[in-house]
Amino acid sequence: MFVDQVKIYIKGGDGGNGAVAFRREKYIPKGGPAGGDGGKGGDVIFEVEEGMRTLIDFRYKRHFKAARGEHGGPKNQHGKNAEDLIVKVPPGTMILHAKTKAVIADLTENGQRVTILKGGRGGKGNTRFTSSSNPAPEICENGEPGKEMEVILELKVLADVGLVGFPSVGKSTLLSTVSKARPKIAAYHFTTIVPNLGVVEVPDGRSFVMADLPGLIEGAHAGVGLGHQFLKHIERTRVIVHVIDMGSTEGRDPYEDYITINKELEQYNMRLLERPQLIAANKMDVDGAKENLEVFKTKLNADIPVFPISSATQFGIKELLYKIADVLEVTETFPMYDKDIQDEEQRVLYKYVKESQLFEVSRDMDGAFLLTGEELEKVFKMTDFTREASVRRFARQMRGMGVDDALRAKGAKDGDIVRIDQFEFEFIDGE
């Protein structure tokens, strides 16, 4: 099964909790705090694995969570940092933010790595909270929660040359003739429903990767037939080869086929027409093909090389391959997206996170005051509520963030219920 797009959930590892401990060794009369910090949570890293060809593995596992850091220990023992989570993907995988559709990474080279989410930092042990006014604190932090998000993995095959054309024009036969690829070949439309790749070796020693892409029909840019499922795979190709049934075996006009396919490429993405194009006039062994070719050349009002070939008899194949190799040598890789636009999208995305409010106050259905906000919830989750000193510190942190004033402005009175996540507190107006 060829899978080329999936949505998955990823989460960085939580940091380990800090510890509260004191030195009690013999011959050390004053002791002191000795709680170590927690270890850092694991990062989520995507890495290209050359042997992978599809995203099918992600059909069965869609949640990826990095390990949490080890908790701190006594004697100032620092918790061990968690190992990073390495997620393997095939070459040609793009990672997009599920909500904004912004491009996060484009992975094309074997071994290429990108860190998508950082793990949370470890919580501080009580040694880190010592001061002249509190030389023996019983305060520690829980580990910082790891970031989480949903991303879309989209695979666009890596090929130098893309074969395009209507169904049953001979694209699969051509690929099987010039390479060791063995695509499905049959006398009905849409025999090929997934891209097939083959390495083509030119007699002079040059080589390139050719993709037999599923057949196009009119309206493909809008999703008709295989639509976008096909068109996205041609975006990485550097040279487009139009395979045209010059024998007109299905009664279509070869020139109209060429015009229709080009319109679909243009309407899907204007930049597809920037790529060099060659025309493979296939099925020249069929009666009437030579006459059709002459008419086609007369109508063709463009400086595009036309190569008469027959995939069945291998007529003209060598000349076509030499020309493809020559064009590839002078054609650079086309960018998959506008880099400036991508950077701007990512700046807006991260700018929004940084400038968002620390918290928001709303009323729940039962009348309780509901506190939400990433920063506030992070402070809440990093508080050890089993220790009174940590609870008092959390109260001071909330006051410093302006939570008390915001609750008063919303009409909170003594004894009102305040809810953070699934936990409830009573509001005590200490103004």
Side-chain angles (χ1 to χ4, degrees):
M1 182 185 297
F2 184 86
V3 179
D4 56 8
Q5 182 169 318
V6 292
K7 180 193 287 186
I8 63 172
Y9 165 85
I10 56 176
K11 183 181 186 303
D14 298 337
N17 299 337
V20 172
F22 295 91
R23 299 184 66 179
R24 292 184 175 83
E25 294 96 332
K26 192 176 182 180
Y27 306 122
I28 301 180
K30 295 185 178 181
D37 298 343
K40 176 183 172 297
D43 298 340
V44 179
I45 299 174
F46 282 75
E47 181 180 8
V48 177
E49 178 67 46
E50 193 173 38
M52 296 179 67
R53 285 292 177 265
T54 79
L55 298 172
I56 190 169
D57 292 346
F58 298 94
R59 287 285 296 270
Y60 309 107
K61 181 180 180 182
R62 294 178 180 263
H63 285 69
F64 296 84
K65 182 178 178 181
R68 79 172 302 156
E70 190 177 54
H71 300 322
K75 299 183 181 179
N76 290 317
Q77 293 175 332
H78 194 292
K80 183 180 179 181
N81 295 338
E83 292 187 3
D84 297 330
L85 174 63
I86 309 296
V87 182
K88 304 282 190 176
V89 294
T93 301
M94 296 184 73
I95 304 174
L96 298 89
H97 194 286
K99 291 184 178 179
T100 67
K101 301 301 185 294
V103 177
I104 300 174
D106 187 8
L107 304 174
T108 59
E109 300 177 4
N110 184 41
Q112 183 180 354
R113 281 189 171 198
V114 60
T115 301
I116 302 299
L117 287 181
K118 292 282 189 179
R121 69 169 177 84
K124 298 176 182 177
N126 68 330
T127 304
R128 303 283 293 275
F129 293 97
T130 56
S131 65
S132 57
S133 59
N134 188 5
E138 295 190 13
I139 302 173
C140 69
E141 284 182 336
N142 290 337
E144 179 185 16
K147 299 286 186 180
E148 56 186 322
M149 67 188 299
E150 285 189 325
V151 296
I152 294 173
L153 304 183
E154 188 169 280
L155 175 62
K156 298 182 180 180
V157 297
L158 289 172
D160 300 306
V161 181
L163 302 178
V164 302
F166 272 79
S168 300
V169 296
K171 299 184 300 298
S172 298
T173 304
L174 176 58
L175 180 66
S176 66
T177 299
V178 301
S179 73
K180 293 183 179 180
R182 292 295 175 262
K184 184 177 181 180
I185 300 173
Y188 55 85
H189 286 190
F190 296 111
T191 310
T192 303
I193 59 175
V194 299
N196 292 297
L197 297 177
V199 177
V200 179
E201 295 184 359
V202 185
D204 62 6
R206 292 178 292 178
S207 63
F208 52 84
V209 177
M210 178 180 284
D212 160 29
L213 300 159
L216 279 172
I217 59 176
E218 189 170 1
H221 72 279
V224 178
L226 293 173
H228 293 168
Q229 185 178 341
F230 150 74
L231 283 165
K232 66 184 177 185
H233 290 293
I234 200 174
E235 292 181 27
R236 292 193 190 276
T237 59
R238 292 190 288 153
V239 175
I240 295 175
V241 176
H242 284 261
V243 182
I244 297 176
D245 178 6
M246 202 55 66
S248 192
T249 56
E250 297 195 355
R252 295 191 310 269
D253 178 71
Y255 181 72
E256 290 301 320
D257 281 5
Y258 169 75
I259 295 299
T260 300
I261 296 300
N262 253 7
K263 284 183 178 178
E264 294 304 319
L265 297 179
E266 179 180 10
Q267 289 177 299
Y268 175 73
N269 184 342
M270 288 286 291
R271 304 198 69 175
L272 292 182
L273 296 186
E274 296 176 7
R275 290 154 173 72
Q277 295 186 13
L278 303 176
I279 295 175
N282 197 22
K283 302 188 181 181
M284 292 302 297
D285 55 315
V286 176
D287 291 341
K290 292 182 180 180
E291 292 78 7
N292 290 338
L293 177 60
E294 293 303 318
V295 176
F296 179 87
K297 288 182 176 180
T298 302
K299 292 181 177 179
L300 185 65
N301 190 20
D303 186 21
I304 300 177
V306 180
F307 291 86
I309 67 168
S310 170
S311 299
T313 65
Q314 299 191 23
F315 164 74
I317 296 295
K318 185 181 297 184
E319 291 76 9
L320 174 63
L321 297 184
Y322 274 118
K323 182 61 176 179
I324 292 174
D326 291 341
V327 175
L328 284 172
E329 286 185 348
V330 295
T331 304
E332 297 182 355
T333 302
F334 289 82
M336 290 289 292
Y337 43 81
D338 191 317
K339 192 69 168 62
D340 294 336
I341 293 176
Q342 180 212 359
D343 290 344
E344 179 63 25
E345 286 177 341
Q346 290 198 348
R347 277 200 297 273
V348 172
L349 173 66
Y350 292 116
K351 184 177 180 182
Y352 170 78
V353 172
K354 290 182 179 179
E355 293 191 352
S356 61
Q357 292 182 335
L358 296 176
F359 64 91
E360 292 183 0
V361 182
S362 59
R363 298 297 290 268
D364 217 341
M365 294 180 62
D366 59 359
F369 290 89
L370 185 63
L371 294 176
T372 57
E374 184 178 343
E375 191 64 28
L376 175 65
E377 291 175 4
K378 184 178 78 170
V379 172
F380 171 77
K381 291 176 181 178
M382 294 182 69
T383 300
D384 181 4
F385 286 95
T386 64
R387 298 185 180 277
E388 185 179 350
S390 295
V391 175
R392 289 198 300 268
R393 178 173 180 262
F394 176 65
R396 292 194 300 270
Q397 288 176 305
M398 285 207 301
R399 193 174 301 117
M401 295 170 69
V403 173
D404 288 7
D405 293 338
L407 287 171
R408 290 191 197 97
K410 288 286 186 178
K413 307 293 184 185
D414 276 348
D416 284 348
I417 299 299
V418 179
R419 185 173 294 132
I420 303 177
D421 200 3
Q422 301 298 319
F423 296 84
E424 295 181 349
F425 308 87
E426 283 189 7
F427 178 69
I428 299 176
D429 193 348
E431 186 175 20

